Amino acid sequence: MARIKDVAAAAGVSVATVSRVLNDSPSVNDETRRRVYDAMSALNYVPNAVARSLRTTATRTIGLIIGDILNPFFTELARGVEDEARREGYTVVMGNADERPDEQDHYVRTLLEQRVDGLLICPTAELTPLVQQLAEAGRPLVFLDRSIAGLDVPTVRSDGASAIAELVRHLREQGHRRIALASGPATLSTGRERTEAFAAAMAAEGLELRPEYVRPGDFREGSGRRITAELLDLPEPPDAVFFGDNLMTLGGLEEIRARGLRIPRDVAIASFDDVTWFKHIDPPVTAIAQPAAEMGRHAVRLLLSRVNGRPAASAVLPATLVIRRSCEGKGS
Amino acid sequence: MARIKDVAAAAGVSVATVSRVLNDSPSVNDETRRRVYDAMSALNYVPNAVARSLRTTATRTIGLIIGDILNPFFTELARGVEDEARREGYTVVMGNADERPDEQDHYVRTLLEQRVDGLLICPTAELTPLVQQLAEAGRPLVFLDRSIAGLDVPTVRSDGASAIAELVRHLREQGHRRIALASGPATLSTGRERTEAFAAAMAAEGLELRPEYVRPGDFREGSGRRITAELLDLPEPPDAVFFGDNLMTLGGLEEIRARGLRIPRDVAIASFDDVTWFKHIDPPVTAIAQPAAEMGRHAVRLLLSRVNGRPAASAVLPATLVIRRSCEGKGS
DNA sequence: TACCCTCATGAAATCGATTACACGGAGGAG
DNA sequence: CTCCTCCGTGTAATCGATTTCATGAGGGTA
């Protein structure tokens, strides 16, 4: 491929001048500039970002590590990140941690080697030493969706507490009393928060929260299915199940369907995370929607603040309840 | 951040030796190697891939440009690409073309600047001069999902012809005669192929294909909805509609639901592309499944062949019909 | 005419790695 | 004892850009 030197030779100028043209420096004569452009297109010149990055120590690249690329929530998040980064002239390098700390660390390492200007992480359950060290070294870092206690890292997440309170009230109004929670892992902030908000909401509505009705999963389809089976096998199975995320809801649907049960007559369901196709399910699924794309965009804004040496404050965006038919009363 | 020079100083060796340790060169004394490793971890040394790439002219990075990150088909494709690339020690840099030629070209340019070792493209409708030039320059390039005529570029796609034939037979057996197609754009190879296979299948089953029943969309939700509306507004609306991809199916579901029609009693539907949640739709949707993840993995294998100077042959993977209830006969 | 600016440009150092080549010492063969 | 090999290591060139500093031409002012 053509190098800056070749362009310089073809245009009859020095490499310094070509570089000035590349970087829109004002102190280049118009006629010279034109000659340089001509040479560039004649040679199909593509500037080498690798060399430029080495010299400038900036790559105009940010890393994004998500929990699971097949989860539509993360996909929408990624979409928001992409859009905003693109707007600011940054490229996103994405890694899929598959909810595993070792995969997460693999990508952190790779992205650090590639010298991304900043890092956006949806942290997995465990705080790994690598991530901790990164945070303590003060590198531009923003957590997304999930927070980690004790680390001073700006975080963008959504607050589902009030939506969960609304949901529990809705369930009670529809006549449901024995409400179960198939939650995320207690090791994840999102898992804990949703569990706590649910417990608080149950208390507020004067409903009893039985210990056997609260079961932690791992935010993946399999655990949703397993937990649903366990709940339905209980001597006194719940009226309604609230799932911690959309994949666990999918697992729950699977199990309920396999048993030939009817929603909401036999058991009502609700989901944290809304996804497009919930409205086409039989019956349409009541869900709590997070502003995923906006979370992604906001996180990029924070990260670029940090990259440019400006401060960044954590943000909490509201989640909202979307009522559909999967929680309707037994009588209806 | 610590540089190789710092590590060398701390370990009391030259940079060449540190570099040899980094690259697992056998000709380093064990004791020396240990000292170098100690120095590296004491300094939290992270090798600079930018500098390495500049010197070696390889980045161990591949670019992937997909049509739409919110389309689960592409997501699964991306997952397959990621997995295989990771296995081979490559990082994937992904760009979302949003089905727009200009966005696609933007990412092609950016990825070229970043000097990715190879490029995986799901080409948008138009063949842009940039992509054409790339192909002609013989750069490592593989097309995914969609092919472009007249270019000698290895392509990985799936063949839906036999599955479409099966589907049409199934529809006929279920008593459907007036079958419509909400297809993809004729400018896309996938759109054309599915349309042709459908026409051939209709002929093979002795069914009439009315011109007003074949309408091209753009593989996005909106066009699925619009076409469905147009079809249902026809003086003699179709019995069954076959959608060109999962997003168009989603649009169709939307419109059918909005009109209060019942599937399959009022109109039967089937989809190209299968997605997890089709089996939970009311009623479960008959679909043609593409091996998306495997397509992604295969494409990476081809691309890395090309990167390493070996030849790569195009591949066609079979798509399979998954029968569910959305096409059942009116009487059943 | 002498002096000082400004403007456009070039020469060369630099970023952090890899790698060709050189070199010194140890050990074996004759 | 001399010569040759091989092993482990170091020196320095190199990749392709950016950027500092120097320079020369041209124009205005005293």
Side-chain angles (χ1 to χ4, degrees):
Chain A
M1 293 190 73
R3 312 180 306 282
I4 197 173
K5 197 191 301 185
D6 304 319
V7 175
V13 298
S14 73
V15 294
T17 300
V18 178
S19 175
R20 289 190 187 99
V21 171
L22 279 175
N23 294 284
D24 288 320
S25 157
S27 69
V28 176
N29 181 284
D30 284 347
E31 157 64 11
T32 309
R33 186 184 303 272
R34 200 189 49 68
R35 282 216 320 282
V36 171
Y37 277 133
D38 287 351
M40 288 203 237
S41 54
L43 294 171
N44 278 330
Y45 174 68
V46 179
N48 187 327
V50 174
R52 167 182 298 150
S53 297
L54 177 60
R55 183 58 231 253
T56 60
T57 66
T59 53
R60 293 200 76 78
T61 277
I62 64 180
L64 167 65
I65 301 177
I66 61 174
D68 178 2
I69 200 182
L70 297 182
N71 184 331
F73 168 71
F74 287 118
T75 300
E76 199 183 328
L77 202 74
R79 174 62 194 262
V81 168
E82 258 260 307
D83 281 353
E84 185 69 15
R86 168 100 171 73
R87 258 174 38 83
E88 299 291 334
Y90 281 75
T91 304
V92 177
V93 185
M94 197 167 99
N96 178 22
D98 228 4
E99 300 292 7
R100 285 162 40 189
D102 56 324
E103 282 293 292
Q104 169 193 279
D105 275 14
H106 163 78
Y107 278 108
V108 170
R109 241 183 303 266
T110 308
L111 294 171
L112 286 179
E113 290 190 3
Q114 310 215 349
R115 295 297 192 268
V116 291
D117 293 340
L119 214 42
L120 240 37
I121 305 183
C122 305
T124 52
E126 299 160 39
L127 170 60
T128 63
L130 181 60
V131 172
Q132 175 157 24
Q133 171 195 317
L134 227 62
E136 286 166 357
R139 296 186 61 102
L141 181 64
V142 167
F143 286 155
L144 199 38
D145 182 40
R146 304 157 177 176
S147 60
I148 286 190
L151 281 188
D152 184 25
V153 172
T155 302
V156 176
R157 56 190 194 84
S158 81
D159 178 16
S162 65
I164 289 175
E166 260 185 87
L167 170 66
V168 172
R169 186 173 327 121
H170 170 65
L171 283 164
R172 185 182 53 69
E173 285 168 3
Q174 294 290 322
H176 300 290
R177 293 292 175 272
R178 301 195 308 278
I179 307 176
L181 172 67
S183 72
T187 45
L188 240 39
S189 67
T190 43
R192 275 195 311 279
E193 283 160 16
R194 289 169 203 174
T195 304
E196 285 162 16
F198 178 74
M202 289 291 279
E205 295 297 323
L207 295 174
E208 181 199 4
L209 179 56
R210 313 191 190 183
E212 73 269 29
Y213 279 3
V214 178
R215 293 170 183 255
D218 63 0
F219 280 151
R220 321 206 68 160
E221 189 172 342
S223 73
R225 178 156 194 175
R226 177 180 51 75
I227 291 172
T228 305
E230 291 168 6
L231 288 169
L232 295 176
D233 284 339
L234 248 28
E236 196 168 27
D239 278 326
V241 183
F242 173 38
F243 294 93
D245 85 335
N246 74 81
L247 293 181
M248 291 184 68
T249 305
L250 199 57
L253 279 167
E254 204 90 44
E255 181 64 23
I256 291 169
R257 199 155 312 258
R259 295 184 178 223
L261 298 177
R262 302 273 301 278
I263 302 169
R265 209 191 49 190
D266 301 318
V267 58
I269 66 168
S271 172
F272 205 98
D273 282 353
D274 191 17
V275 286
T276 349
W277 41 273
F278 272 171
K279 58 174 164 312
H280 300 296
I281 297 288
D282 172 24
V285 178
T286 291
I288 292 175
Q290 300 187 71
E294 177 54 27
M295 289 167 69
R297 285 192 293 267
H298 199 97
V300 171
R301 277 179 235 124
L302 289 192
L303 184 63
L304 294 184
S305 274
R306 293 285 332 266
V307 167
N308 297 314
R310 281 174 279 125
S314 292
V316 178
L317 280 63
T320 54
L321 178 64
V322 180
I323 293 179
R324 298 200 183 90
R325 301 209 340 264
S326 66
C327 298
E328 280 178 1
K330 299 172 176 198
S332 63
Chain B
M1 293 191 73
R3 310 178 309 281
I4 197 174
K5 197 191 298 185
D6 304 318
V7 174
V13 298
S14 74
V15 294
T17 299
V18 177
S19 175
R20 288 190 187 99
V21 171
L22 279 175
N23 294 284
D24 289 319
S25 156
S27 69
V28 176
N29 182 283
D30 283 348
E31 159 63 12
T32 311
R33 186 183 303 270
R34 202 190 47 68
R35 283 216 319 281
V36 171
Y37 277 131
D38 288 351
M40 288 202 233
S41 54
L43 294 171
N44 278 331
Y45 173 69
V46 179
N48 187 328
V50 174
R52 168 183 297 150
S53 297
L54 177 59
R55 183 58 233 250
T56 60
T57 66
T59 53
R60 294 199 76 78
T61 278
I62 64 180
L64 167 65
I65 301 178
I66 61 175
D68 179 1
I69 200 181
L70 296 181
N71 184 331
F73 167 71
F74 287 118
T75 301
E76 200 183 329
L77 202 74
R79 174 64 194 262
V81 168
E82 259 260 307
D83 282 352
E84 185 68 16
R86 168 100 172 72
R87 258 174 37 83
E88 299 290 334
Y90 280 76
T91 304
V92 176
V93 185
M94 197 168 98
N96 178 23
D98 229 5
E99 300 292 7
R100 283 163 42 190
D102 56 324
E103 282 292 293
Q104 168 193 282
D105 275 13
H106 163 78
Y107 278 108
V108 170
R109 242 182 302 266
T110 308
L111 294 171
L112 285 180
E113 289 190 3
Q114 311 214 353
R115 296 296 192 268
V116 291
D117 293 341
L119 215 41
L120 239 36
I121 305 184
C122 304
T124 51
E126 300 160 38
L127 169 61
T128 63
L130 180 61
V131 171
Q132 175 157 23
Q133 171 194 319
L134 227 61
E136 286 167 357
R139 298 186 61 100
L141 181 64
V142 168
F143 287 155
L144 200 37
D145 181 40
R146 303 157 177 178
S147 59
I148 288 191
L151 282 187
D152 184 26
V153 172
T155 303
V156 176
R157 57 188 194 85
S158 80
D159 178 16
S162 65
I164 290 176
E166 261 185 87
L167 170 65
V168 172
R169 187 173 326 122
H170 169 66
L171 284 164
R172 185 183 52 72
E173 285 168 3
Q174 294 291 321
H176 301 289
R177 294 292 176 271
R178 300 195 309 276
I179 308 175
L181 172 67
S183 72
T187 44
L188 241 37
S189 68
T190 44
R192 275 195 311 278
E193 284 160 15
R194 289 170 203 174
T195 303
E196 285 162 16
F198 178 74
M202 288 291 280
E205 294 297 323
L207 295 174
E208 181 199 3
L209 178 57
R210 314 191 189 184
E212 71 269 30
Y213 279 3
V214 178
R215 291 170 184 255
D218 64 1
F219 281 152
R220 323 206 67 159
E221 189 171 342
S223 73
R225 177 155 195 175
R226 176 180 51 75
I227 291 172
T228 305
E230 292 168 5
L231 288 169
L232 295 175
D233 284 340
L234 247 31
E236 194 169 27
D239 279 327
V241 182
F242 173 38
F243 293 93
D245 85 335
N246 75 82
L247 293 181
M248 290 184 68
T249 305
L250 199 57
L253 279 167
E254 204 90 45
E255 181 65 23
I256 292 169
R257 200 156 311 260
R259 294 183 178 223
L261 300 177
R262 301 272 302 278
I263 303 169
R265 209 190 50 190
D266 300 319
V267 60
I269 65 167
S271 171
F272 206 97
D273 282 353
D274 192 17
V275 287
T276 348
W277 43 271
F278 272 171
K279 57 174 164 308
H280 300 296
I281 297 290
D282 172 24
V285 178
T286 292
I288 291 175
Q290 300 187 73
E294 177 55 25
M295 288 167 68
R297 286 191 294 267
H298 199 97
V300 171
R301 277 180 236 125
L302 289 192
L303 185 63
L304 294 184
S305 275
R306 294 285 333 263
V307 167
N308 297 313
R310 280 176 280 125
S314 293
V316 178
L317 280 62
T320 53
L321 177 65
V322 181
I323 294 179
R324 298 202 183 90
R325 300 207 341 261
S326 67
C327 298
E328 278 178 3
K330 301 173 176 197
S332 62

